[in-house]
Amino acid sequence: LSLGRIANPLLNEQTTILGQIYYLVFMMIFLSAGGHRAMVAALLDTFTSIPPGSFRFEASFLTLLETVLTDAFRMGLRLAAPTLIALFMASLTMGFLSRTIPQLNVLTVGFAIRVMAALGVAGMALPYAFDVLHDAAADTLILVRGAFGLAA
């Protein structure tokens, strides 16, 4: 099923049949859960927070944008660091093994070892990712609400 491609006119690209099924199923779940109404309600709530025509672009918003993007980059590094370190160590180990045992095909064996190491470390680090994501999201929301003059 994943090899068959179909044209997706909405995205102007080709997708798999399984991808289309996932898209349709999750769209039905989204609509049945009332997600479309929640999105429209959230849009209408923005008009009460920032009335049309009252937004003024100031230099402080560039500082806010810089802070938010910097924090997002730091959060991404904090989430990916354990896996990146594990991949580096696996590559280093495979390099030593290839010099020690020249008959070992590093490309075939090393790929599987790197995948297992990355998935294993990512799985072990996953419970700690919630704290990182929660703290970053809370700090970002406080920054944005403060920039718009809303109560924290």
Side-chain angles (χ1 to χ4, degrees):
L1 285 177
S2 65
L3 293 177
R5 297 269 187 201
I6 57 172
N8 185 352
L10 292 176
L11 301 176
N12 198 20
E13 64 181 21
Q14 289 186 355
T15 59
T16 62
I17 295 172
L18 226 57
Q20 281 294 103
I21 291 172
Y22 287 150
Y23 171 76
L24 292 173
V25 166
F26 286 118
M27 182 59 75
M28 286 188 292
I29 292 171
F30 177 77
L31 291 174
S32 66
H36 59 294
R37 289 188 299 259
M39 285 183 61
V40 171
L43 177 67
L44 292 176
D45 288 342
T46 61
F47 290 119
T48 60
S49 299
I50 306 169
S54 67
F55 178 75
R56 300 286 182 252
F57 186 76
E58 298 175 8
S60 64
F61 288 108
L62 288 177
T63 306
L64 172 70
L65 182 64
E66 176 193 4
T67 304
V68 168
L69 291 177
T70 303
D71 289 345
F73 184 73
R74 283 187 191 139
M75 180 191 61
L77 280 179
R78 286 180 62 191
L79 289 174
T83 306
L84 291 175
I85 291 170
L87 285 173
F88 175 72
M89 296 301 290
S91 296
L92 194 65
T93 304
M94 293 309 298
F96 285 133
L97 282 176
S98 70
R99 288 293 190 186
T100 307
I101 309 168
Q103 297 84 8
L104 181 68
N105 190 354
V106 176
L107 291 178
T108 56
V109 175
F111 180 73
I113 290 175
R114 281 192 294 265
V115 167
M116 287 189 304
L119 288 176
V121 171
M124 288 187 290
L126 194 60
Y128 304 105
F130 175 76
D131 294 333
V132 173
L133 290 173
H134 183 268
D135 294 343
D139 293 343
T140 302
L141 287 175
I142 290 171
L143 280 172
V144 171
R145 290 180 65 84
F148 287 115
L150 302 172

